[in-house]
């Protein structure tokens, strides 16, 4: 099982590297049913101008299109970084059977911040496997933010107030 998880997580990492090269937050996801890859994608919020264009949401949309149903029973989602609250909600609605992720996100991850899937209150909870190729996922994310640190434009005065609301 571990080799299988690593195989699909490597595909997700390939997607994350594409996001990195495109200037997007480097997160990649792969949706699998059995041994078949239904969809693979990466964060594209900037290129699509869509705040919901996270890798997880994009592959769930494609998987639903291919399966002809928004319920993705029997599927597994491999994602390089712990999903946010929005993406975790989408996993519940889609009825994804298993979530496999690389590294935790202490600032935005729904499992880390809100304990999603652990309180037993949701009507569906995927099995969760974490830590698959975690170091590679973490290093890519850290490198992305380290390279961008200090490159943001300094905005002051009235413009800052309009942009920072």
């Amino acid at each position: 099982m571990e080799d299988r998880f690593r195989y699909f997580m490597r595909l997700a990492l390939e997607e994350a590297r594409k996001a990195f090269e495109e200037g997007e937050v480097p997160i990649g996801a792969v949706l699998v049913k059995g041994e078949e890859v239904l969809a693979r994608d990466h964060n594209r919020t900037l290129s699509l101008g869509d705040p919901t264009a996270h890798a997880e949401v994009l592959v769930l949309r494609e998987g639903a299109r291919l399966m002809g149903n928004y319920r993705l029973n029997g599927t597994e989602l491999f994602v390089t970084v712990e999903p946010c609250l929005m993406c975790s909600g989408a996993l519940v609605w889609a009825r994804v059977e298993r979530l496999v992720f690389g590294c935790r996100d202490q600032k935005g991850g729904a499992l880390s911040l809100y304990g999603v899937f652990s309180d037993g209150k949701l009507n569906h909870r995927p099995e969760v496997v974490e830590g698959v190729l975690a170091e590679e996922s973490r290093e890519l994310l850290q490198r992305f933010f380290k390279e961008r640190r200090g490159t943001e434009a300094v905005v002051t005065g009235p413009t800052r107030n309009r942009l920072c609301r």
Side-chain angles (χ1 to χ4, degrees), residues 55-72:
E56 300 95 321
V57 170
L58 294 172
V59 299
L60 292 176
R61 287 177 184 161
E62 179 62 11
R65 187 189 71 74
L66 290 170
M67 290 179 68
N69 194 334
Y70 76 94
R71 289 198 172 175
L72 304 175

Side-chain angles (χ1 to χ4, degrees), residues 6 9 13 17 80 101-104 131-142:
R6 292 171 63 85
M9 189 61 73
L13 275 163
R17 289 183 192 99
T80 56
F101 69 88
C103 65
R104 285 209 173 230
V132 178
L133 300 182
E135 194 56 38
E136 292 91 327
S137 299
R138 185 179 303 105
E139 286 174 1
L140 186 61
L141 201 58
Q142 288 174 339

Side-chain angles (χ1 to χ4, degrees), residues 39-51:
R40 54 187 286 179
D41 214 329
H42 53 277
N43 276 5
R44 294 194 287 140
T45 57
L46 296 173
S47 64
L48 295 177
D50 178 354

Side-chain angles (χ1 to χ4, degrees), residues 6-30 40-44 55 79-81 132-141 143-144 147-148:
R6 292 171 63 85
Y7 171 78
F8 290 119
M9 189 61 73
R10 282 190 188 97
L11 297 180
L13 275 163
E14 287 175 13
E15 291 295 328
R17 289 183 192 99
K18 290 178 189 176
F20 185 97
E21 295 303 318
E22 294 170 12
E24 301 272 5
V25 176
I27 298 175
V30 176
R40 54 187 286 179
D41 214 329
H42 53 277
N43 276 5
R44 294 194 287 140
V79 61
T80 56
V81 179
V132 178
L133 300 182
E135 194 56 38
E136 292 91 327
S137 299
R138 185 179 303 105
E139 286 174 1
L140 186 61
L141 201 58
R143 192 171 100 218
F144 176 82
E147 288 182 10
R148 278 146 187 80

Side-chain angles (χ1 to χ4, degrees), residues 101-119:
F101 69 88
C103 65
R104 285 209 173 230
D105 179 357
Q106 299 298 328
K107 294 182 180 180
L111 286 79
S112 294
L113 296 175
Y114 305 104
V116 172
F117 309 139
S118 63
D119 65 7

